[in-house]
Amino acid sequence: MNREELHEYISSSAGNEANICQISAFRNGITVYEDCWHGYNHEDAVNVNSVTKGVMALLAGIALDKGYIKSTDQKVMDFFPAYEVKKGEKTIFDVTVKHLLTMTAPYKYRSEPWKKVCTSQDWTLAVLDFLGGRKGITGEFRYATLGIQILAGIIEHATGEKCIDFANRNLFMPLGIPEHTIHGDSSKEDQLNFFMNKNPRNNEWYSDPQDTVTAGWGLCLSACDMARIGELVLNRGQYNGRIIVSENYIHEMTAPYLKLGERFGYMSYGYLWYRPYDDREIYAAIGDSGNIIYVNREKNVSVGITGTFKPRIFDRVDFIERKVLPVIEEQ
């Protein structure tokens, strides 16, 4: 398949690829493929959903490198000394930053309390109310989009600045990604529109009433932005010769800590990043609707794909390897 055939394949698709807006790919540090669909251009941003989590993992690494966070074993409650723990709750004191990064933190709910959290005035504190529980630390994987909100609070309390400012200064701008602003509205209607609206978005990040970004979703990036982030991971924390995050942290972030089940394609999980294969150096930050940062060290390739809202599309690793890599390799 060549680039013209790939463009037509996506343009005429009525299946999983029908919602793709942009694809951007780098190889050996050079842009080797870019294309757009549905009226998007290369600079337009899209809500990349849970790819946001992968970006948060990088921000946590930068905060660790700079000494704002002592280690991934530091206790979560160290960062919230004024928080009033619920009577009888003990487990919360044992939860560490690493538990958040590996999705092994325990929570006191059966399903994520979206309404309770997303109608509150401080989403980080609202999620802390659900952290812990009688079962203690079990090491069980529990995918928690809301739980990662605590990580944004940790970064803000540790650094003394808003998470979006920390991200702009230490990650986005060094990578050539446009400076981002907070979204600035968090009403129920606006949240629904943010997910469902298929028009291009600004370079923004969804936020709560405290102007704290949503750590599990809501970051808006272009496919090119995501490919740049992939280049950072590909090059073990360096970008254009500058160290953005330490090689040691990138190694920790992409190490396989947990083997996931059928729901997650039997992939392994690192610090909010996936390893699709046990025996290959391929990593991915994955979001709903097929948004993805794909990193392939074997071929020295990073790929970003954006897509508008379309349910039941989890990842596009197979699509990239079957359809996109052949186009890149023909260049």
Side-chain angles (χ1 to χ4, degrees), residues 191-243:
Q191 290 175 40
L192 182 63
N193 177 270
F194 198 86
F195 277 107
M196 303 293 289
N197 194 312
K198 296 184 178 182
N199 294 320
R201 304 213 65 91
N202 297 320
N203 292 304
E204 59 184 339
W205 197 335
Y206 210 85
S207 51
D208 76 357
Q210 303 301 313
D211 293 342
T212 299
V213 298
T214 47
W217 58 280
L219 174 59
C220 297
L221 297 168
S222 69
C224 184
D225 294 336
M226 292 202 288
R228 286 192 180 104
I229 294 169
E231 275 284 291
L232 177 68
V233 176
L234 182 69
N235 294 317
R236 296 174 171 84
Q238 291 193 40
Y239 190 82
N240 285 341
R242 175 181 175 182
I243 298 174

Short mmCIF file of all heavy atoms in Angstrom, two decimals, residues 191-243:
data_model
loop_
_atom_site.label_atom_id
_atom_site.label_comp_id
_atom_site.label_asym_id
_atom_site.label_seq_id
_atom_site.Cartn_x
_atom_site.Cartn_y
_atom_site.Cartn_z
N GLN A 191 -18.66 19.41 28.94
CA GLN A 191 -17.90 18.16 28.96
C GLN A 191 -18.37 17.22 27.87
O GLN A 191 -17.56 16.58 27.17
CB GLN A 191 -18.03 17.49 30.33
CG GLN A 191 -17.31 18.23 31.44
CD GLN A 191 -17.56 17.62 32.80
OE1 GLN A 191 -17.60 16.40 32.95
NE2 GLN A 191 -17.75 18.47 33.80
N LEU A 192 -19.67 17.11 27.67
CA LEU A 192 -20.22 16.25 26.62
C LEU A 192 -19.79 16.76 25.25
O LEU A 192 -19.38 15.97 24.39
CB LEU A 192 -21.74 16.20 26.72
CG LEU A 192 -22.45 15.29 25.71
CD1 LEU A 192 -22.04 13.84 25.92
CD2 LEU A 192 -23.97 15.44 25.84
N ASN A 193 -19.86 18.06 25.06
CA ASN A 193 -19.45 18.65 23.78
C ASN A 193 -17.98 18.41 23.51
O ASN A 193 -17.57 18.14 22.37
CB ASN A 193 -19.76 20.14 23.77
CG ASN A 193 -19.31 20.82 22.50
OD1 ASN A 193 -18.19 21.31 22.40
ND2 ASN A 193 -20.19 20.86 21.51
N PHE A 194 -17.18 18.47 24.55
CA PHE A 194 -15.74 18.29 24.41
C PHE A 194 -15.41 16.90 23.87
O PHE A 194 -14.48 16.73 23.07
CB PHE A 194 -15.05 18.52 25.76
CG PHE A 194 -13.58 18.79 25.66
CD1 PHE A 194 -13.12 20.08 25.46
CD2 PHE A 194 -12.66 17.76 25.79
CE1 PHE A 194 -11.76 20.34 25.38
CE2 PHE A 194 -11.30 18.02 25.71
CZ PHE A 194 -10.85 19.31 25.51
N PHE A 195 -16.17 15.91 24.31
CA PHE A 195 -15.96 14.55 23.83
C PHE A 195 -16.55 14.32 22.44
O PHE A 195 -15.95 13.66 21.60
CB PHE A 195 -16.60 13.54 24.80
CG PHE A 195 -15.74 13.20 25.98
CD1 PHE A 195 -16.05 13.68 27.24
CD2 PHE A 195 -14.62 12.39 25.83
CE1 PHE A 195 -15.26 13.36 28.33
CE2 PHE A 195 -13.82 12.08 26.92
CZ PHE A 195 -14.15 12.55 28.18
N MET A 196 -17.73 14.87 22.20
CA MET A 196 -18.52 14.49 21.03
C MET A 196 -18.29 15.37 19.81
O MET A 196 -18.47 14.92 18.67
CB MET A 196 -20.01 14.51 21.38
CG MET A 196 -20.38 13.61 22.56
SD MET A 196 -20.18 11.86 22.20
CE MET A 196 -21.54 11.60 21.07
N ASN A 197 -17.95 16.62 20.01
CA ASN A 197 -17.79 17.55 18.89
C ASN A 197 -16.65 17.11 17.98
O ASN A 197 -15.53 16.86 18.44
CB ASN A 197 -17.52 18.96 19.43
CG ASN A 197 -17.68 20.03 18.37
OD1 ASN A 197 -17.17 19.92 17.27
ND2 ASN A 197 -18.40 21.09 18.72
N LYS A 198 -16.93 17.02 16.70
CA LYS A 198 -15.94 16.50 15.75
C LYS A 198 -15.16 17.59 15.01
O LYS A 198 -14.40 17.29 14.09
CB LYS A 198 -16.64 15.57 14.74
CG LYS A 198 -17.23 14.34 15.41
CD LYS A 198 -17.83 13.36 14.41
CE LYS A 198 -18.36 12.13 15.13
NZ LYS A 198 -18.92 11.13 14.19
N ASN A 199 -15.31 18.82 15.44
CA ASN A 199 -14.56 19.91 14.84
C ASN A 199 -13.18 20.02 15.47
O ASN A 199 -12.96 19.58 16.60
CB ASN A 199 -15.30 21.23 15.02
CG ASN A 199 -16.62 21.26 14.27
OD1 ASN A 199 -16.70 20.79 13.14
ND2 ASN A 199 -17.66 21.80 14.90
N PRO A 200 -12.22 20.62 14.76
CA PRO A 200 -10.89 20.83 15.35
C PRO A 200 -10.98 21.67 16.62
O PRO A 200 -11.84 22.53 16.76
CB PRO A 200 -10.13 21.58 14.25
CG PRO A 200 -10.83 21.21 12.98
CD PRO A 200 -12.27 21.06 13.35
N ARG A 201 -10.06 21.40 17.54
CA ARG A 201 -10.03 22.12 18.80
C ARG A 201 -8.81 23.03 18.84
O ARG A 201 -7.90 22.92 18.02
CB ARG A 201 -10.01 21.14 19.98
CG ARG A 201 -11.16 20.15 20.00
CD ARG A 201 -11.54 19.81 21.42
NE ARG A 201 -12.08 20.98 22.10
CZ ARG A 201 -13.38 21.30 22.12
NH1 ARG A 201 -14.27 20.56 21.52
NH2 ARG A 201 -13.77 22.37 22.78
N ASN A 202 -8.80 23.91 19.83
CA ASN A 202 -7.63 24.76 20.06
C ASN A 202 -6.53 23.95 20.75
O ASN A 202 -6.74 22.82 21.18
CB ASN A 202 -8.02 25.96 20.92
CG ASN A 202 -9.04 26.85 20.25
OD1 ASN A 202 -8.97 27.09 19.05
ND2 ASN A 202 -10.00 27.34 21.03
N ASN A 203 -5.36 24.55 20.89
CA ASN A 203 -4.29 23.94 21.68
C ASN A 203 -4.62 24.19 23.15
O ASN A 203 -4.15 25.15 23.77
CB ASN A 203 -2.94 24.55 21.30
CG ASN A 203 -2.52 24.18 19.90
OD1 ASN A 203 -2.43 23.00 19.56
ND2 ASN A 203 -2.29 25.17 19.05
N GLU A 204 -5.44 23.30 23.68
CA GLU A 204 -5.98 23.49 25.02
C GLU A 204 -5.96 22.16 25.77
O GLU A 204 -5.70 21.10 25.20
CB GLU A 204 -7.42 24.01 24.92
CG GLU A 204 -8.36 23.10 24.15
CD GLU A 204 -9.76 23.67 23.98
OE1 GLU A 204 -10.14 24.56 24.75
OE2 GLU A 204 -10.47 23.21 23.07
N TRP A 205 -6.27 22.27 27.05
CA TRP A 205 -6.33 21.09 27.93
C TRP A 205 -7.53 21.31 28.83
O TRP A 205 -7.67 22.36 29.46
CB TRP A 205 -5.04 20.98 28.73
CG TRP A 205 -4.77 19.65 29.36
CD1 TRP A 205 -5.67 18.70 29.73
CD2 TRP A 205 -3.48 19.14 29.73
NE1 TRP A 205 -5.06 17.62 30.28
CE2 TRP A 205 -3.70 17.86 30.30
CE3 TRP A 205 -2.19 19.63 29.65
CZ2 TRP A 205 -2.66 17.07 30.79
CZ3 TRP A 205 -1.15 18.85 30.13
CH2 TRP A 205 -1.38 17.58 30.68
N TYR A 206 -8.40 20.32 28.92
CA TYR A 206 -9.58 20.46 29.77
C TYR A 206 -9.14 20.68 31.21
O TYR A 206 -8.06 20.23 31.63
CB TYR A 206 -10.50 19.25 29.65
CG TYR A 206 -11.94 19.62 29.86
CD1 TYR A 206 -12.71 20.09 28.81
CD2 TYR A 206 -12.53 19.55 31.12
CE1 TYR A 206 -14.03 20.47 29.01
CE2 TYR A 206 -13.84 19.92 31.34
CZ TYR A 206 -14.59 20.39 30.27
OH TYR A 206 -15.88 20.77 30.49
N SER A 207 -9.98 21.35 31.99
CA SER A 207 -9.58 21.74 33.33
C SER A 207 -10.78 21.79 34.26
O SER A 207 -11.93 21.91 33.81
CB SER A 207 -8.89 23.11 33.30
OG SER A 207 -9.69 24.04 32.60
N ASP A 208 -10.49 21.70 35.55
CA ASP A 208 -11.55 21.80 36.55
C ASP A 208 -11.71 23.25 37.00
O ASP A 208 -10.99 24.14 36.50
CB ASP A 208 -11.27 20.85 37.71
CG ASP A 208 -10.19 21.33 38.68
OD1 ASP A 208 -9.58 22.40 38.43
OD2 ASP A 208 -9.94 20.64 39.68
N PRO A 209 -12.62 23.56 37.91
CA PRO A 209 -12.82 24.95 38.33
C PRO A 209 -11.60 25.58 39.01
O PRO A 209 -11.55 26.80 39.17
CB PRO A 209 -14.00 24.86 39.30
CG PRO A 209 -14.79 23.67 38.81
CD PRO A 209 -13.75 22.69 38.40
N GLN A 210 -10.62 24.75 39.41
CA GLN A 210 -9.39 25.29 40.00
C GLN A 210 -8.31 25.54 38.94
O GLN A 210 -7.16 25.84 39.28
CB GLN A 210 -8.85 24.30 41.05
CG GLN A 210 -9.83 23.96 42.16
CD GLN A 210 -10.29 25.18 42.93
OE1 GLN A 210 -9.46 26.00 43.32
NE2 GLN A 210 -11.59 25.30 43.14
N ASP A 211 -8.67 25.38 37.68
CA ASP A 211 -7.71 25.51 36.57
C ASP A 211 -6.63 24.43 36.60
O ASP A 211 -5.53 24.62 36.09
CB ASP A 211 -7.06 26.89 36.54
CG ASP A 211 -8.05 28.00 36.21
OD1 ASP A 211 -9.14 27.66 35.68
OD2 ASP A 211 -7.76 29.17 36.48
N THR A 212 -6.97 23.31 37.21
CA THR A 212 -6.09 22.14 37.18
C THR A 212 -6.51 21.25 36.01
O THR A 212 -7.69 20.94 35.85
CB THR A 212 -6.19 21.34 38.50
OG1 THR A 212 -5.78 22.17 39.58
CG2 THR A 212 -5.31 20.09 38.45
N VAL A 213 -5.54 20.85 35.20
CA VAL A 213 -5.89 20.07 34.01
C VAL A 213 -6.44 18.70 34.38
O VAL A 213 -6.16 18.16 35.45
CB VAL A 213 -4.65 19.89 33.10
CG1 VAL A 213 -4.15 21.24 32.60
CG2 VAL A 213 -3.54 19.11 33.80
N THR A 214 -7.23 18.15 33.48
CA THR A 214 -7.71 16.78 33.64
C THR A 214 -6.56 15.84 33.26
O THR A 214 -6.07 15.88 32.14
CB THR A 214 -8.92 16.52 32.74
OG1 THR A 214 -8.65 17.03 31.43
CG2 THR A 214 -10.15 17.22 33.29
N ALA A 215 -6.16 15.01 34.18
CA ALA A 215 -4.95 14.20 33.99
C ALA A 215 -5.20 12.92 33.20
O ALA A 215 -4.26 12.34 32.65
CB ALA A 215 -4.34 13.85 35.34
N GLY A 216 -6.45 12.48 33.12
CA GLY A 216 -6.73 11.22 32.45
C GLY A 216 -7.29 11.35 31.05
O GLY A 216 -7.41 10.36 30.33
N TRP A 217 -7.63 12.56 30.65
CA TRP A 217 -8.22 12.82 29.33
C TRP A 217 -8.18 14.33 29.10
O TRP A 217 -7.79 15.08 29.97
CB TRP A 217 -9.67 12.34 29.28
CG TRP A 217 -10.56 12.98 30.33
CD1 TRP A 217 -10.64 12.63 31.64
CD2 TRP A 217 -11.44 14.10 30.16
NE1 TRP A 217 -11.53 13.47 32.31
CE2 TRP A 217 -12.04 14.37 31.42
CE3 TRP A 217 -11.79 14.90 29.07
CZ2 TRP A 217 -12.96 15.40 31.60
CZ3 TRP A 217 -12.72 15.93 29.26
CH2 TRP A 217 -13.29 16.17 30.52
N GLY A 218 -8.57 14.77 27.90
CA GLY A 218 -8.82 16.19 27.69
C GLY A 218 -7.69 17.02 27.15
O GLY A 218 -7.87 18.22 26.90
N LEU A 219 -6.50 16.45 26.96
CA LEU A 219 -5.42 17.17 26.31
C LEU A 219 -5.65 17.15 24.79
O LEU A 219 -5.98 16.12 24.22
CB LEU A 219 -4.07 16.52 26.63
CG LEU A 219 -2.84 17.08 25.92
CD1 LEU A 219 -2.63 18.55 26.23
CD2 LEU A 219 -1.60 16.27 26.30
N CYS A 220 -5.50 18.31 24.16
CA CYS A 220 -5.72 18.42 22.72
C CYS A 220 -4.38 18.57 22.01
O CYS A 220 -3.62 19.51 22.30
CB CYS A 220 -6.63 19.60 22.40
SG CYS A 220 -8.28 19.44 23.10
N LEU A 221 -4.10 17.66 21.10
CA LEU A 221 -2.85 17.65 20.36
C LEU A 221 -3.12 17.33 18.90
O LEU A 221 -4.14 16.75 18.55
CB LEU A 221 -1.90 16.57 20.91
CG LEU A 221 -1.40 16.71 22.35
CD1 LEU A 221 -0.74 15.42 22.81
CD2 LEU A 221 -0.44 17.88 22.48
N SER A 222 -2.19 17.68 18.03
CA SER A 222 -2.22 17.22 16.65
C SER A 222 -1.46 15.90 16.57
O SER A 222 -0.70 15.54 17.48
CB SER A 222 -1.57 18.25 15.73
OG SER A 222 -0.18 18.32 15.97
N ALA A 223 -1.62 15.19 15.45
CA ALA A 223 -0.86 13.96 15.25
C ALA A 223 0.63 14.25 15.22
O ALA A 223 1.44 13.45 15.71
CB ALA A 223 -1.30 13.29 13.96
N CYS A 224 1.01 15.40 14.66
CA CYS A 224 2.42 15.78 14.63
C CYS A 224 2.96 16.00 16.04
O CYS A 224 4.08 15.59 16.37
CB CYS A 224 2.62 17.02 13.78
SG CYS A 224 4.35 17.52 13.58
N ASP A 225 2.17 16.65 16.90
CA ASP A 225 2.56 16.83 18.30
C ASP A 225 2.82 15.48 18.95
O ASP A 225 3.81 15.30 19.68
CB ASP A 225 1.45 17.53 19.09
CG ASP A 225 1.18 18.96 18.65
OD1 ASP A 225 2.10 19.58 18.07
OD2 ASP A 225 0.06 19.44 18.89
N MET A 226 1.93 14.53 18.70
CA MET A 226 2.07 13.21 19.32
C MET A 226 3.28 12.47 18.78
O MET A 226 3.98 11.78 19.53
CB MET A 226 0.79 12.39 19.12
CG MET A 226 -0.39 12.94 19.90
SD MET A 226 -1.68 11.72 20.19
CE MET A 226 -2.37 11.56 18.55
N ALA A 227 3.55 12.61 17.49
CA ALA A 227 4.74 11.97 16.92
C ALA A 227 6.01 12.55 17.53
O ALA A 227 7.00 11.84 17.73
CB ALA A 227 4.74 12.12 15.40
N ARG A 228 6.00 13.85 17.83
CA ARG A 228 7.15 14.47 18.50
C ARG A 228 7.35 13.87 19.90
O ARG A 228 8.48 13.61 20.32
CB ARG A 228 6.95 15.98 18.61
CG ARG A 228 7.11 16.75 17.31
CD ARG A 228 7.19 18.25 17.58
NE ARG A 228 7.34 19.00 16.35
CZ ARG A 228 6.37 19.69 15.77
NH1 ARG A 228 5.16 19.72 16.32
NH2 ARG A 228 6.59 20.36 14.65
N ILE A 229 6.25 13.69 20.62
CA ILE A 229 6.35 13.06 21.94
C ILE A 229 6.88 11.64 21.78
O ILE A 229 7.69 11.17 22.58
CB ILE A 229 4.98 13.08 22.64
CG1 ILE A 229 4.58 14.53 22.97
CG2 ILE A 229 5.01 12.24 23.92
CD1 ILE A 229 3.15 14.70 23.42
N GLY A 230 6.42 10.95 20.73
CA GLY A 230 6.94 9.63 20.45
C GLY A 230 8.44 9.64 20.18
O GLY A 230 9.17 8.74 20.61
N GLU A 231 8.91 10.67 19.48
CA GLU A 231 10.34 10.81 19.23
C GLU A 231 11.12 10.94 20.53
O GLU A 231 12.23 10.41 20.67
CB GLU A 231 10.59 12.06 18.37
CG GLU A 231 10.45 11.85 16.89
CD GLU A 231 11.64 11.11 16.32
OE1 GLU A 231 12.74 11.67 16.26
OE2 GLU A 231 11.44 9.94 15.94
N LEU A 232 10.55 11.65 21.49
CA LEU A 232 11.19 11.81 22.79
C LEU A 232 11.38 10.45 23.47
O LEU A 232 12.45 10.15 24.01
CB LEU A 232 10.35 12.73 23.67
CG LEU A 232 10.83 12.95 25.11
CD1 LEU A 232 12.14 13.74 25.12
CD2 LEU A 232 9.76 13.66 25.93
N VAL A 233 10.33 9.64 23.44
CA VAL A 233 10.41 8.30 24.04
C VAL A 233 11.35 7.42 23.23
O VAL A 233 12.16 6.67 23.80
CB VAL A 233 9.00 7.67 24.14
CG1 VAL A 233 9.07 6.24 24.66
CG2 VAL A 233 8.10 8.52 25.04
N LEU A 234 11.26 7.51 21.91
CA LEU A 234 12.12 6.73 21.03
C LEU A 234 13.59 6.98 21.33
O LEU A 234 14.41 6.05 21.36
CB LEU A 234 11.81 7.09 19.58
CG LEU A 234 12.56 6.36 18.47
CD1 LEU A 234 12.12 4.91 18.40
CD2 LEU A 234 12.32 7.04 17.13
N ASN A 235 13.93 8.24 21.58
CA ASN A 235 15.32 8.64 21.82
C ASN A 235 15.67 8.69 23.29
O ASN A 235 16.59 9.41 23.70
CB ASN A 235 15.59 9.97 21.15
CG ASN A 235 15.52 9.87 19.64
OD1 ASN A 235 16.03 8.90 19.05
ND2 ASN A 235 14.87 10.82 19.00
N ARG A 236 14.91 7.95 24.09
CA ARG A 236 15.21 7.75 25.51
C ARG A 236 15.34 9.05 26.30
O ARG A 236 16.22 9.23 27.14
CB ARG A 236 16.49 6.92 25.67
CG ARG A 236 16.34 5.50 25.10
CD ARG A 236 17.66 4.74 25.14
NE ARG A 236 17.47 3.34 24.81
CZ ARG A 236 17.42 2.85 23.57
NH1 ARG A 236 17.55 3.69 22.54
NH2 ARG A 236 17.24 1.57 23.34
N GLY A 237 14.42 9.98 26.00
CA GLY A 237 14.33 11.21 26.78
C GLY A 237 15.00 12.42 26.16
O GLY A 237 14.93 13.51 26.72
N GLN A 238 15.65 12.25 25.01
CA GLN A 238 16.29 13.37 24.34
C GLN A 238 15.49 13.82 23.12
O GLN A 238 14.84 13.02 22.46
CB GLN A 238 17.71 13.00 23.88
CG GLN A 238 18.68 12.78 25.01
CD GLN A 238 20.12 12.73 24.53
OE1 GLN A 238 20.52 13.50 23.65
NE2 GLN A 238 20.90 11.83 25.10
N TYR A 239 15.57 15.12 22.84
CA TYR A 239 14.92 15.66 21.64
C TYR A 239 15.82 16.75 21.09
O TYR A 239 16.15 17.70 21.79
CB TYR A 239 13.54 16.22 21.97
CG TYR A 239 12.73 16.58 20.74
CD1 TYR A 239 12.02 15.61 20.05
CD2 TYR A 239 12.70 17.89 20.27
CE1 TYR A 239 11.29 15.92 18.92
CE2 TYR A 239 11.96 18.22 19.13
CZ TYR A 239 11.27 17.23 18.46
OH TYR A 239 10.55 17.55 17.34
N ASN A 240 16.22 16.59 19.84
CA ASN A 240 17.15 17.53 19.20
C ASN A 240 18.39 17.76 20.05
O ASN A 240 18.89 18.89 20.18
CB ASN A 240 16.45 18.87 18.90
CG ASN A 240 15.52 18.76 17.71
OD1 ASN A 240 15.62 17.84 16.89
ND2 ASN A 240 14.61 19.71 17.60
N GLY A 241 18.90 16.70 20.64
CA GLY A 241 20.12 16.78 21.42
C GLY A 241 19.96 17.29 22.83
O GLY A 241 20.94 17.35 23.58
N ARG A 242 18.75 17.64 23.24
CA ARG A 242 18.50 18.17 24.58
C ARG A 242 17.81 17.11 25.43
O ARG A 242 16.87 16.45 24.98
CB ARG A 242 17.62 19.42 24.50
CG ARG A 242 17.20 19.98 25.85
CD ARG A 242 16.32 21.20 25.67
NE ARG A 242 15.80 21.69 26.94
CZ ARG A 242 14.98 22.72 27.08
NH1 ARG A 242 14.59 23.39 25.99
NH2 ARG A 242 14.54 23.10 28.27
N ILE A 243 18.28 16.93 26.66
CA ILE A 243 17.65 15.98 27.56
C ILE A 243 16.41 16.63 28.18
O ILE A 243 16.51 17.61 28.91
CB ILE A 243 18.62 15.53 28.67
CG1 ILE A 243 19.83 14.80 28.06
CG2 ILE A 243 17.90 14.62 29.67
CD1 ILE A 243 20.90 14.46 29.06
#
